[in-house]
């Protein structure tokens, strides 16, 4: 029997395994930034790869594959946050500015990370896509399935949340963040 | 760039081992998920199939149990039924029609099934009866076209394009063709391209012509050198120059847009959407904007068979299966996909298997 079109798509196990091997490290890193827990990040990577395997026949174009994987991981993480409690994970107590030795206990980046972990999932995802994945506003919007203006508003919301979280303790750090995030929300691209 | 945030994220991301990923386990879960979706989607699909059959008068007519129902006019908005054939059995909606022999190619008209047999006869099966309408000619590509009660083909004996009203079996128009010089072989033989709004579009002698069946006026269109007509619907034409892009124009010559060409391209009944197969599995695009509006599907391969109405189309889908000799095409399922809903429903599971000797779809072409 001859089928009525020459086009064929297959789930090529070797190609999929090669893809997993090549991308595993970067997927785990991004997943960790999205969910903030190592074990949950492993689950997120596995779920993303299962979905990718199901969609594999229509993802021959490398650009389409990358976009699909990124979008799947991000949207899955966001949807999980609605069902699971990982988005509400308590973070370290913010140290009092006047408390002796706080700088030694908690570095600058630890503070930022703690504040990032408290962001709502979508805002955190926007931050990860823009700052870690270094996507443009337009590409970030494609991944999140929203308008570029929404990406900017999400970044603005993230800024407000970070400011509220940090301002009482580190106003100079907030000033720095405000300046830099204002540049980002104004449409700066990478 | 916000150096502090980026440094923080980079540092956190890199801080930890990369866990082992069990690819085999992922593939196993993925295969289970594919199977589960196919089974689950089939449950709701039976109702859709039944609804299509009930709403389509010519299903009853072709089945032959409707008496004079063959004369019932079909509302132009009535959906076309899902259809395919294996052997001499034509599936129409939720019914089947047994033809005297296996169709080589077939189309559906308002009044029944118009089909060609192995001897190039053009036949009409309606109301339980089969009668020969004429003779076709072997050709590559489309040999039959239909619209409403009209059916058209190129009659090799008469060397003329022939249009018959299947409700009356009367000849509507015959268009003689004078072939100037040798043709380039089967790919360039005379062939019907489409019937659209009372206009017969045909290809002969390296030219595409549109003839108004009522007046006999020949319609021209802004074709460029070597352009062929891929499809005609609702006064819109898809012009194929065998290049990267096909042009969509109106019969008035207005440019509507372009679509990736190179394969089979077809318009929806209202010309709002256009199907192209350049991306292996076919894509449904908005004809005006080019936006990809392909409904989600979950198969290794999918092809659009034809449009059921202005929103839904019948699709053929299959997965590649593992055999002792390697990989092979699995059984064919048929889906009904809705552009507005963005998804597809399984309406016929394993409808055609690799063991089926004769297989045809209602597109007027032979796949043998």
């Amino acid at each position: 029997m001859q089928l009525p079109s020459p086009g064929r798509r297959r789930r090529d196990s070797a190609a999929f395994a090669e893809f997993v091997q090549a991308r595993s490290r970067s997927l785990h890193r991004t997943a960790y930034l999205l969910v903030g827990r190592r074990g949950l990040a492993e689950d997120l990577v596995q779920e993303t790869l299962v979905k990718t395997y199901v969609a594999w026949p229509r993802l021959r174009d490398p650009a389409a594959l990358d976009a699909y994987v990124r979008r799947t991981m991000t949207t899955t993480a966001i949807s999980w946050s609605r069902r699971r409690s990982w988005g509400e994970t308590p973070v370290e107590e913010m140290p009092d500015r006047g408390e002796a030795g706080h700088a030694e206990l908690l570095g600058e980046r630890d503070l930022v990370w703690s504040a990032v972990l408290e962001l709502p999932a979508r805002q955190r995802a926007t931050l990860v896509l823009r700052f870690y994945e270094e996507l443009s506003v337009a590409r970030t919007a494609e991944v999140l399935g929203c308008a570029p203006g929404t990406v900017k508003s999400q970044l603005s919301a993230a800024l407000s949340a970070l400011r509220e979280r940090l301002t009482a303790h580190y106003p100079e750090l907030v000033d720095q963040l405000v300046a830099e995030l204002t540049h980002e929300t104004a449409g700066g691209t990478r | 760039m916000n150096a502090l945030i980026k440094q923080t994220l980079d540092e956190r991301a890199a801080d930890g081992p990369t866990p082992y990923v069990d690819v085999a386990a992922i593939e196993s879960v993925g295969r289970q998920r594919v199977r589960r979706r196919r089974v689950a989607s089939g449950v709701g699909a039976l109702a859709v199939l039944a609804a299509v059959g009930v709403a389509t008068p010519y299903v009853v007519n072709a089945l032959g149990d409707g008496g004079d129902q063959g004369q019932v006019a079909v509302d132009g908005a009535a959906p076309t039924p899902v259809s395919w054939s294996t052997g001499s059995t034509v599936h129409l909606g939720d019914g089947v029609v047994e033809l005297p022999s296996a169709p080589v190619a077939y189309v559906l008209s308002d009044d029944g099934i118009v089909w060609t047999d192995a001897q190039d006869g053009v036949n009409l099966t309606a109301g339980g009866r089969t009668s020969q309408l004429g003779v076709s000619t072997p050709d590559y590509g489309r040999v039959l076209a239909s619209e409403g009660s009209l059916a058209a083909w190129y009659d090799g004996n008469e060397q003329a394009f022939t249009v018959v009203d299947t409700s009356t079996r009367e000849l509507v128009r015959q268009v003689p063709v004078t072939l100037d010089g040798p043709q380039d072989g089967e790919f360039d033989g005379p062939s019907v391209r489409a019937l659209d709004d009372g206009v017969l579009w045909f290809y002969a002698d390296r030219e595409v012509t549109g003839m108004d069946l009522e007046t006999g006026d020949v319609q021209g269109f802004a074709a460029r050198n070597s352009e062929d007509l891929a499809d005609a619907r609702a006064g819109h034409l898809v012009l194929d120059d065998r290049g990267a892009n096909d042009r969509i124009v109106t019969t008035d010559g207005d440019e509507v847009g372009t679509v990736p060409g190179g394969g089979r391209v077809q318009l929806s009944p209202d010309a709002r959407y256009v199907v192209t197969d350049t991306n292996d599995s076919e894509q449904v695009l908005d004809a005006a904007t080019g936006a990809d509006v392909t409904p989600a599907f979950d198969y290794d391969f999918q092809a659009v068979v034809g449009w059921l109405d202005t929103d839904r189309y019948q699709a053929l889908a299959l997965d590649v299966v593992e055999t002792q000799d390697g990989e092979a095409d699995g059984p064919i399922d048929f889906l009904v996909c809705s552009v507005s809903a963005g998804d597809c429903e399984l309406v016929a599971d394993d409808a055609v298997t690799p063991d089926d000797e004769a297989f045809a779809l209602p597109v007027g072409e032979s796949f043998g």
Side-chain angles (χ1 to χ4, degrees):
Chain A
M1 180 184 69
Q2 183 178 347
L3 293 170
S5 174
R8 298 286 190 280
R9 293 204 157 189
R10 299 163 189 274
R11 284 193 180 82
D12 185 334
S13 288
F16 182 72
E18 185 180 342
F19 165 78
V20 172
Q21 186 174 16
R23 297 293 304 277
S24 180
R25 177 184 294 271
S26 65
L27 290 176
H28 275 99
R29 290 180 170 186
T30 302
Y32 174 65
L33 296 180
L34 290 172
V35 299
R37 291 184 191 172
R38 295 289 174 197
L40 199 56
E42 290 180 33
D43 290 346
L44 180 58
V45 170
Q46 174 153 326
E47 178 63 19
T48 300
L49 290 175
V50 168
K51 290 178 176 176
T52 302
Y53 178 78
V54 171
W56 188 256
R58 55 187 168 92
L59 298 174
R60 182 175 295 174
D61 176 19
L65 175 59
D66 283 342
Y68 178 86
V69 171
R70 191 175 277 128
R71 184 167 59 249
T72 298
M73 176 173 283
T74 305
T75 55
T76 301
I78 292 171
S79 68
W80 278 6
S81 73
R82 301 190 185 105
R83 302 199 308 265
R84 301 188 183 192
S85 60
W86 63 263
E88 301 162 5
T89 303
V91 296
E92 297 90 335
E93 275 293 314
M94 293 297 286
D96 189 295
R97 184 81 196 256
E99 186 178 328
H102 71 275
E104 290 75 23
L105 294 174
L106 201 58
E108 191 176 70
R109 290 175 190 171
D110 294 319
L111 283 172
V112 174
W113 177 241
S114 297
V116 167
L117 282 179
E118 289 204 331
L119 292 174
R122 183 170 286 273
Q123 290 178 24
R124 190 189 316 165
T126 307
L127 212 65
V128 170
L129 293 171
R130 288 287 282 133
F131 285 77
Y132 179 70
E133 297 277 358
E134 299 186 325
L135 301 185
S136 66
V137 169
R139 293 288 306 281
T140 302
E142 289 174 11
V143 171
L144 293 171
C146 65
T150 305
V151 171
K152 295 179 181 179
S153 66
Q154 289 287 324
L155 283 173
S156 291
L159 166 65
S160 297
L162 291 175
R163 179 191 294 132
E164 186 177 341
R165 177 74 174 157
L166 299 172
T167 195
H169 306 280
Y170 294 96
E172 69 279 11
L173 184 57
V174 171
D175 291 342
Q176 181 186 356
L177 286 172
V178 167
E180 292 169 344
L181 279 172
T182 299
H183 171 71
E184 291 298 327
T185 55
T189 58
R190 296 164 188 286
Chain B
M1 185 181 77
N2 190 313
L4 178 59
I5 290 182
K6 175 157 180 59
Q7 288 166 5
T8 300
L9 296 178
D10 285 346
E11 180 183 86
R12 291 289 170 170
D15 183 24
T18 300
Y20 168 74
V21 177
D22 188 341
V23 178
I26 287 171
E27 290 185 353
S28 176
V29 173
R31 283 193 292 269
Q32 290 173 11
R33 200 169 291 183
V34 169
R35 284 194 294 270
R36 192 165 62 241
R37 283 185 186 178
R38 292 176 66 182
V39 172
S41 63
V43 174
L46 294 175
V48 174
L49 185 61
V52 170
V54 169
T56 308
Y58 50 70
V59 173
V60 177
N61 182 25
L63 288 169
D65 56 0
D68 291 332
Q69 292 182 61
Q71 305 306 314
V72 175
V74 175
D75 182 349
T80 301
V82 171
S83 182
W84 72 95
S85 73
T86 51
S88 60
T89 302
V90 177
H91 299 257
L92 278 175
D94 58 353
V96 296
V97 177
E98 281 297 330
L99 302 181
S101 62
V104 176
Y106 77 99
V107 292
L108 304 178
S109 80
D110 286 356
D111 302 281
I113 303 166
V114 180
W115 56 285
T116 60
D117 56 36
Q119 290 73 44
D120 299 325
V122 179
N123 309 286
L124 170 66
T125 296
R129 294 182 294 118
T130 296
S131 55
Q132 184 165 350
L133 300 176
V135 177
S136 180
T137 184
D139 191 17
Y140 175 87
R142 180 168 292 174
V143 295
L144 296 168
S146 68
E147 181 190 42
S149 65
L150 302 180
W153 64 90
Y154 177 72
D155 188 317
N157 290 348
E158 299 289 337
Q159 291 199 334
F161 288 97
T162 302
V163 183
V164 167
D165 188 329
T166 58
S167 66
T168 61
R169 274 76 164 171
E170 291 179 350
L171 181 67
V172 173
R173 186 169 286 276
Q174 201 159 42
V175 184
V177 175
T178 302
L179 301 177
D180 184 16
Q183 302 297 295
D184 293 336
E186 62 177 352
F187 293 96
D188 259 351
S191 172
V192 292
R193 288 291 185 260
L195 274 169
D196 177 53
D197 197 21
V199 176
L200 171 66
W201 293 95
F202 59 88
Y203 177 89
D205 209 19
R206 303 180 187 84
E207 288 186 355
V208 175
T209 302
M211 176 176 282
D212 188 308
L213 293 173
E214 186 174 340
T215 65
D217 293 341
V218 173
Q219 292 194 6
F221 60 89
R224 296 169 182 160
N225 289 339
S226 77
E227 278 185 328
D228 196 355
L229 181 67
D231 198 10
R233 290 292 188 105
H236 290 65
L237 312 173
V238 179
L239 303 177
D240 173 14
D241 67 354
R242 274 83 169 178
N245 291 307
D246 293 352
R247 289 194 300 144
I248 303 174
V249 301
T250 68
T251 51
D252 296 329
D254 295 332
E255 297 275 347
V256 176
T258 61
V259 61
R264 194 165 64 111
V265 178
Q266 55 181 320
L267 291 162
S268 64
D270 58 359
R272 181 178 178 185
Y273 304 116
V274 60
V275 179
T276 177
D277 66 358
T278 56
N279 194 25
D280 249 13
S281 278
E282 292 180 324
Q283 291 176 290
V284 182
L285 308 177
D286 185 297
T289 67
D292 189 345
V293 294
T294 310
F297 64 93
D298 191 24
Y299 286 83
D300 292 347
F301 172 75
Q302 186 200 46
V304 176
V305 174
W307 290 82
L308 307 179
D309 53 37
T310 56
D311 179 64
R312 301 176 310 138
Y313 59 84
Q314 175 186 346
L316 169 159
L318 61 84
D319 279 321
V320 175
V321 298
E322 294 182 6
T323 70
Q324 291 181 335
D325 300 324
E327 290 185 328
D329 293 328
I332 290 174
D333 295 346
F334 287 105
L335 317 174
V336 170
C337 301
S338 165
V339 176
S340 62
D343 59 16
C344 299
E345 289 187 281
L346 178 68
V347 296
D349 196 12
D350 293 352
V352 184
T353 72
D355 296 330
D356 288 316
E357 293 182 356
F359 164 61
L361 295 167
V363 296
E365 297 181 32
S366 168
F367 302 116

